[in-house]
Amino acid sequence: MTLPLVEDTDAGLVRSCTGLLRLFNAAGVLGPADVHTATAVARIGGESDEAVMLALALTVRALRTGSVCIDLRTISETVYDDSEQQVDVSDLPWPAVEDWRAACERSPLVSVGPYRAGDRPLRLAFGLLYLERYWQQEETVRIELQRRLATPPPVVDAELLAGGLARIFSRRGLSETEPDRQRLAAAVSALRWLLVLAGGPGTGKTTTVAKLLALLGDQRGSRPRIALAAPTGKAAARLEEAVRAASGTLPPADRERLGELNASTLHRLLGWQPGNRGRFRHDRENHLPYDVIVVDEMSMVSLTMMARLLEAVRPDARLVLVGDPDQLSSVEAGAVMADVVNAPGEIDRELGSAVAGIPDPGSSVPAPTDLRHGVVQLTHTWRFGAAIDELARAIRAGDPDWTMQVLRSDREGLVFAEVDLEQPRPEGLGPLAERVRRAGRRVDEAARAGLAFEALAALDLHRLLCAHRSGPFGVARWGLEAERWLAEAIEAYGAGGEWYVGRPLLVTANDYDMGLYNGDTGVVLQTEQGLRAAFARGGEPLLYSPVRLDSVQTVHAMTVHRAQGSQFEAVSFIVPPEDSPLLTRELLYTAVTRATRQVQIFGSEASVRKAVQRPANRASGLRDRLGAPSQRSS
């Protein structure tokens, strides 16, 4: 490999570093922050070994890519530079693995093994190298989850439980041979302190949550104290709306037991304290006061937040974790939901027997008994058309041939256009331009008429999604393209200055006083009172004068990460190039499953195939250690 020529003016080059750090910095593997952190920590800790300093820098770098640790044996296989381009690192002078590990074990910076007191900045345990802080957080999550699973189960009135399940759950829509996994999840929530409810979009997770909350209220004989939470304000608002809507379908007595349900962000639930990013008012010394805590969109919850949450939950409170393990993970380090759902381990035979012993008068199909770690996976899809459902299954299976077969099948609801997106005016974008114009006209017509419900509904008819924020595949470029198409299709579109009628809005920061959350979308309307910005809520839309809005931007396109937790009638996805590190199976799956009726994919077949074959490889020790017998705390 020939290392890239780096100009002295290159902002990514740390001119003061030498040796291995300089070589890896010049190759684009390490960024300035990685090098400066490693240099400073090594100086303070009295470490001069270049191999240890390189390991430290790579561990710091790993956090920026979502991993919580590195494996010295495999770290050299695939790394990227800070411009999101893959780097060929095969010819870089990587230390010999055994010598590298031995150097780390000798280092005054490294605590070796899982049980040594954490008085050093690094931890080498089970073959993985962590920053001590993240090792402790992973240990907290492991210990608390295993403790919940090992705690003697709650006292349950078996007869009342069977009656509640029979009353609240129906097999309508299920085949004769299909087990009712929603009913199974509710039973597990009653019989254990932990339920992990996993499933893709449209599998009925929120409906299941409403029903199991009613079931738990039935067991108590009184209204339980319930907390609903999600990692973002937008996700919390959606959870609250969805649970309220689902609870409206319950029998009156069960609906009454739930009361008025409200959701909050995890930060607000735990008691965020200004000036203290890592700690909250509620912790292991001051537990949350709730009997049942439901956390939605768990795939977006970082390792740090999960550790803080588990510390704050009372041992005698039921915890329900809800999410899709196949979606994109948190923008911060960790992939807790995927780790928990996919952890190996022994089957909980006692729980399986308890579930099997509950009579189900509506079915002769036995409930699944292969339960591990409190996980119930919902598999029946209620929302999608058959084509989108099959495409999602093909992507999730990691099968590129099946994926392309479905995409090229010309089935209703699927469009695939092989387009050279790096060209200034690519050919083959007709279906995308038409979708943008069709939805834009509907938004514009309703906005000019002052019809808030209709304008907001039209806003969700179509969403253009990208992986990148900038560049030829990014939101900035494709937002401008969409704006150009709309200007061609709608007379005087965009006229009237910044706050033009029909302008689609994206909230970029939480505003609790106004009830607006990061990720909320809205639209500018013409009303009798003048221009108003409308945002959807469960009841009447929220209307604000535009001058009251601070953190908003125009949203003709958005990143896939931003779209998590949302659904649109149609989705168009700009596939990034093959060498983009953002191009993963989880990215493609998340983009596809935002749509309920149509998916349009624009890009190269090679990029689609690469995405399907590349799972997001976030290094973590949690998955394997959750499957091991309970270990002594460090």
Side-chain angles (χ1 to χ4, degrees), residues 432 462-468 473-475 478 555-564 566 568 570-576 587-588 590-595 600 602:
L432 173 56
H462 174 256
R463 187 56 47 89
L464 173 54
L465 300 180
C466 305
H468 294 224
F473 301 86
V475 167
W478 290 98
V555 60
H556 292 298
M558 66 167 47
T559 62
V560 179
H561 261 293
R562 283 269 192 195
Q564 276 187 274
S566 299
F568 311 98
V571 160
S572 298
F573 178 46
I574 302 297
V575 185
L587 178 85
L588 182 59
T590 303
V592 164
T593 54
R594 298 311 91 205
Q600 299 188 139
F602 299 89

Side-chain angles (χ1 to χ4, degrees), residues 232-235 506-511 516-521 551 562:
T232 67
K234 181 186 73 170
L506 174 69
V507 177
T508 58
N510 293 336
D511 188 330
L516 295 177
Y517 305 108
N518 188 359
D520 276 349
T521 53
S551 302
R562 283 269 192 195

Side-chain angles (χ1 to χ4, degrees), residues 376-387:
V376 176
Q377 183 101 32
L378 303 183
T379 55
H380 185 96
T381 302
W382 303 86
R383 185 186 297 159
F384 295 135

Side-chain angles (χ1 to χ4, degrees), residues 438-452:
R438 188 189 312 171
R441 288 192 192 98
R442 293 276 294 276
V443 172
D444 185 74
E445 290 169 1
R448 292 184 186 280
L451 303 173

Side-chain angles (χ1 to χ4, degrees), residues 172-214:
R172 189 180 301 113
L174 296 174
S175 69
E176 292 182 0
T177 59
E178 191 174 5
D180 187 347
R181 290 184 172 271
Q182 293 187 4
R183 181 182 184 277
L184 171 64
V188 171
S189 73
L191 294 167
R192 288 293 185 270
W193 298 110
L194 174 68
L195 167 67
V196 181
L197 182 60
T203 53
K205 296 190 295 294
T206 310
T207 299
T208 305
V209 166
K211 291 182 176 181
L212 70 84
L213 290 175

Side-chain angles (χ1 to χ4, degrees), residues 514-529:
M514 295 179 65
L516 295 177
Y517 305 108
N518 188 359
D520 276 349
T521 53
V523 62
V524 177
L525 310 175
Q526 181 66 62
T527 73
E528 293 180 357
Q529 292 75 37

Side-chain angles (χ1 to χ4, degrees), residues 458-523:
L459 199 63
D460 287 342
L461 290 176
H462 174 256
R463 187 56 47 89
L464 173 54
L465 300 180
C466 305
H468 294 224
R469 290 186 175 88
S470 58
F473 301 86
V475 167
R477 178 208 175 167
W478 290 98
L480 291 175
E481 292 283 3
E483 204 163 52
R484 181 174 63 84
W485 290 326
L486 291 170
E488 293 171 350
I490 302 171
E491 185 178 355
Y493 186 81
E498 178 185 7
W499 298 103
Y500 58 86
V501 176
R503 179 190 174 192
L505 303 172
L506 174 69
V507 177
T508 58
N510 293 336
D511 188 330
Y512 292 107
D513 292 333
M514 295 179 65
L516 295 177
Y517 305 108
N518 188 359
D520 276 349
T521 53
V523 62

